[in-house]
Amino acid sequence: MLKKQNWVFGLIFASASAAADFIIDRPLDFGEIAVRSNTLVSTVSVYRNGSTQSTNHIFIIKPGSPGAFTLTDFPPYTTVNLSVDLPATSSMAYPQTAQFSLTSVDIPSAINLGANGRGQFTLGGTLSTSGNPANNYYSGASYTIYLNINLDY
C-alpha cells in the first residue's frame, strides 16, 4: 500500500550579527511522496535547479521545489561561507513512527554579496527513510525538519 507524505520544510537560523538579516523567500519543499515500504533506506532529492529524483521505495506524487533565501544588510562586498548541520531529523508526535532524515544538501559553499550587502541562494537536499521495517511512516502526515544554516563571514 502506498503511503502519501506531505512535506513542509522548516528552518531555524541564528544570526551572528544583529544588523544582518536572513529571509526565507521559499522553504525547501519535498512535495508529496509515497513510501511503499521501509525495508531499506530510500531517498528523495530536490536539487537547486528544481529537478527531483527518488530511489528504492519512495515515489514522487507531486514534485517539490528548492528553497530560496535572501541575505540583506551585510557589510558591502562580504563573502559569506555557507554550511549546514547534518543530519537533521524530523520529529513526528505519533508514537512508534519512522522519522525522515535530511542527509545531504545542495547548497553553494559561499556567496559574494555586492555593494548593497545583499545576495540570494537556493538550497536543495536529500531526504532519507530509516530503512527500519519495524516502524512505518504515518500516511497523510506532514513531516517537518528544522535545519541550521551556518553563515560565516
Side-chain angles (χ1 to χ4, degrees):
M1 175 191 231
L2 293 178
K3 297 176 183 171
K4 182 176 156 185
Q5 308 295 326
N6 298 314
W7 274 94
V8 176
F9 181 82
L11 183 77
I12 294 178
F13 172 76
S15 175
S17 171
D21 199 10
F22 182 89
I23 300 166
I24 302 172
D25 300 314
R26 181 182 63 239
L28 173 58
D29 180 1
F30 286 94
E32 293 180 20
I33 60 173
V35 178
R36 183 173 177 190
S37 170
N38 196 28
T39 57
L40 56 102
V41 175
S42 301
T43 64
V44 61
S45 298
V46 174
Y47 299 99
R48 287 190 295 156
N49 66 8
S51 66
T52 59
Q53 176 184 352
S54 67
T55 65
N56 299 325
H57 298 294
I58 290 183
F59 299 93
I60 299 171
I61 306 300
K62 179 182 171 188
S65 59
F69 308 93
T70 301
L71 304 176
T72 64
D73 301 322
F74 280 78
Y77 303 107
T78 300
T79 297
V80 178
N81 297 305
L82 304 170
S83 64
V84 297
D85 297 336
L86 290 176
T89 304
S90 63
S91 57
M92 280 297 292
Y94 302 105
Q96 299 177 332
T97 57
Q99 299 301 311
F100 289 95
S101 292
L102 187 63
T103 53
S104 68
V105 293
D106 180 17
I107 188 171
S109 60
I111 60 170
N112 296 310
L113 308 180
N116 60 1
R118 180 182 176 97
Q120 294 179 306
F121 69 94
T122 57
L123 172 101
T126 297
L127 194 67
S128 299
T129 64
S130 67
N132 180 354
N135 294 320
N136 288 309
Y137 294 90
Y138 190 78
S139 181
S142 293
Y143 286 76
T144 302
I145 296 176
Y146 294 96
L147 176 67
N148 289 324
I149 297 179
N150 305 304
L151 308 176
D152 296 315
Y153 61 97

